[in-house]
Amino acid sequence: AFLGLGGYYEWGESGDDNPANNANNHYAWTIDGTLEGHGFSLFTAAVGRHNAKDAPPLDQYGFLIQASGKIPRDMELYSRYEYFDFGGLSVIGNGSPVINSEVNVVTVGINKYFNRHGAKLNVELMRILDPFPVSRTMLGVLADGADSKGQTVLRSQFQLFF
């Protein structure tokens, strides 16, 4: 079993020639844990970032839980649940407001290992259950409209030397 904790604190700046650059204190945190044994693993993590800026304040949270198991020794099935609360903003600072602040995501996938762990093929199916407020094209996710019912993404990648 493993447990990890982390934190970050940044003192705000003020007095800049441009008042838009003034920022209040910002902090972020994470906690995660892993449990492994007999070809099975369970991972969970929670993260948050916050500031005390008057307009708009930032309060973003997220967590995930993932379980996986080896089926033969060279294949691994996994499933994951993720929750994000964007806190009404897409990014830190002067982030643009988002349509939907809370997003739930369910993923199932399989890893196939070659030459022990010399290479890996990954295929996963991700279902975003709510409208996703921002585009993340590297993940294959596009911003949804307000009336969207979410989206489904099929991704695959082949890795060498990981």
Side-chain angles (χ1 to χ4, degrees):
F2 301 97
L3 179 65
L5 301 167
Y8 166 82
Y9 189 84
E10 181 178 324
W11 295 96
E13 294 183 22
S14 60
D16 193 305
D17 289 342
N18 182 354
N21 292 337
N22 293 342
N24 290 330
N25 299 342
H26 173 80
Y27 63 97
W29 54 270
T30 182
I31 182 169
D32 56 77
T34 302
L35 183 63
E36 297 178 349
H38 306 291
F40 174 80
S41 70
L42 181 65
F43 172 76
T44 188
V47 296
R49 59 185 184 177
H50 318 275
N51 73 19
K53 200 171 185 178
D54 292 333
L58 177 70
D59 277 310
Q60 296 179 325
Y61 298 92
F63 73 86
L64 71 85
I65 185 165
Q66 176 173 307
S68 66
K70 301 273 186 183
I71 39 179
R73 296 182 70 67
D74 62 347
M75 294 182 82
E76 177 182 39
L77 289 174
Y78 64 91
S79 62
R80 180 174 54 242
Y81 170 76
E82 301 165 81
Y83 169 82
F84 309 103
D85 183 347
F86 285 90
L89 295 175
S90 60
V91 294
I92 289 181
N94 296 325
S96 53
V98 295
I99 296 168
N100 185 38
S101 205
E102 296 182 13
V103 178
N104 294 276
V105 181
V106 177
T107 304
V108 294
I110 188 166
N111 294 318
K112 167 71 173 154
Y113 299 97
F114 301 93
N115 194 21
R116 299 187 60 151
H117 278 212
K120 176 176 82 169
L121 174 65
N122 168 257
V123 179
E124 70 178 21
L125 182 66
M126 178 174 61
R127 176 68 184 144
I128 302 173
L129 304 173
D130 306 293
F132 203 78
V134 294
S135 289
R136 293 293 180 254
T137 54
M138 286 185 63
L139 299 174
V141 179
L142 301 175
D144 285 320
D147 59 344
S148 174
K149 302 290 188 229
Q151 56 189 291
T152 301
V153 178
L154 177 64
R155 300 187 294 207
S156 180
Q157 70 177 5
F158 186 74
Q159 293 176 273
L160 296 173
F161 311 112
F162 69 97

